[in-house]
Amino acid sequence: MNSPGWETRLSALSLSGQMVAYALGIVLARQLGVAGFESYVVASAAFVLMVTLVPQGLEKYSLKLLPTLLDRGDAAGLLGFLRFSRRRVLLGALLVGGAVGLWASWTDGLSAGMRAAIVVSCVSLPAGALVHLGLEVLTALGRASSAALVFRLVVPAMALVLACIALAVYPGMPAAWAIAAWGLSWGLALALMAAQFRRAAPPGLFRTEPVERRRQWQAEARPFWLYRVSLAVLAQAAVLALEWLHPSPGTAVGAFAAAFSTAAIAQVLATATNRVYASRLSLLLANRDFDGIDRLRAERLRWLAAPLLVYLLVAFVFARELIGLFRPEFVAEGATALRILAVSTALTTLLAMAPTYLKHQGENRALFRGVATAAVLLMVLLAVLVPLLGVAGAAVAHAVASVFMYGNLARLAHRGLAQRQPGA
């Protein structure tokens, strides 16, 4: 059970980690140069796509499944799911990482630095994917704060330390070394989470004969998987469009990455707490406690309001200074993009629980239709706006598509909740 004030503690941890990662991005942008930073950004984007694809939705599905298994005392099902998930994640990491690594090694059009950075990101994939799974499992087991400490703070802090050591030893280090720093950090995090899990596991769990409901779990996790992959593609599409359609992709990709990482500071406030809200929502829906759902939603909105307002004020007033921390070349295009992305990030953060509600209620068709429509809208907008407006066009396209998607999903979730209430 999380004690009062868990939202503040989780968000403080997540915000601290985000600021460490932000500082790492600034250091790397200044030290790697425009081309090196571009390689780092592209390899990081590849890792994000892979680490979203590999768990096959099982990590997010665990937030729905594990609380009910624990509530029923189903130790056999719990152990079976954990073993099944671990096996699927490792197999997926080997297949996806191997395929992408081979592609990067043999394809034409990649610089040597970008090629090496992508290959290193593939090597880091198994540990990174297991850590993502461990974060959700530990959250479901009531260890949200300690899991967030490792995932949100220890990982980026260790990556920053290792990158700074590498820069001290070899000031002209390639982007692959920075990706390797993240890989070593994922390995450390995996060891720490394994130790946490042994302490958090129900007594006698490992003496239980596991029961695996493979087909059921695969089918029920699929909506979480498709949704997560769709969001990852949406998040990275602007970078790819700038790489392909912009006349100066190095500066453009770097400017957009600087703006996007700055805008993401607000989103992490919700991301950290949404895991626990999702776990509580699962139990409230199972008990048909609609008053409790309304209170949960109001509690979340009240908590987010003040931090988001402060964030918007800082992003608008100090946009040029924030982007300038990365590189002076990024300011001209990145400052406007930051202001656009800050507004859309604040709005989507407020609405971010709507997809979780739809997934938990099995409204998969509506969810997929909403995400697919937003993806098509984004692609059309990127194709039109990037050649005309460059980085600002990519930011507008991403903002419009994101707000449209979350607004539409929030409308569907509100309507579905109203229809399920007694007397509706």
Side-chain angles (χ1 to χ4, degrees), residues 165-185:
I165 292 174
L167 285 168
V169 174
Y170 181 29
M173 77 171 194
W177 287 30
I179 299 297
W182 280 101
L184 293 173
S185 301

Side-chain angles (χ1 to χ4, degrees), residues 26 30 318-328 330-331:
I26 292 171
R30 289 181 171 274
F318 300 104
R320 295 183 65 85
E321 289 79 2
L322 291 170
I323 299 300
L325 292 173
F326 289 81
R327 291 191 72 85
F330 297 163
V331 173

Side-chain angles (χ1 to χ4, degrees), residues 237-238 241-242 245-247 375-398:
L242 288 167
L245 302 176
H246 198 278
V376 172
L377 176 62
L378 176 61
M379 299 305 174
V380 172
L381 290 174
L382 286 172
V384 173
L385 295 178
V386 167
L388 294 174
L389 301 175
V391 176
V396 169
H398 186 275

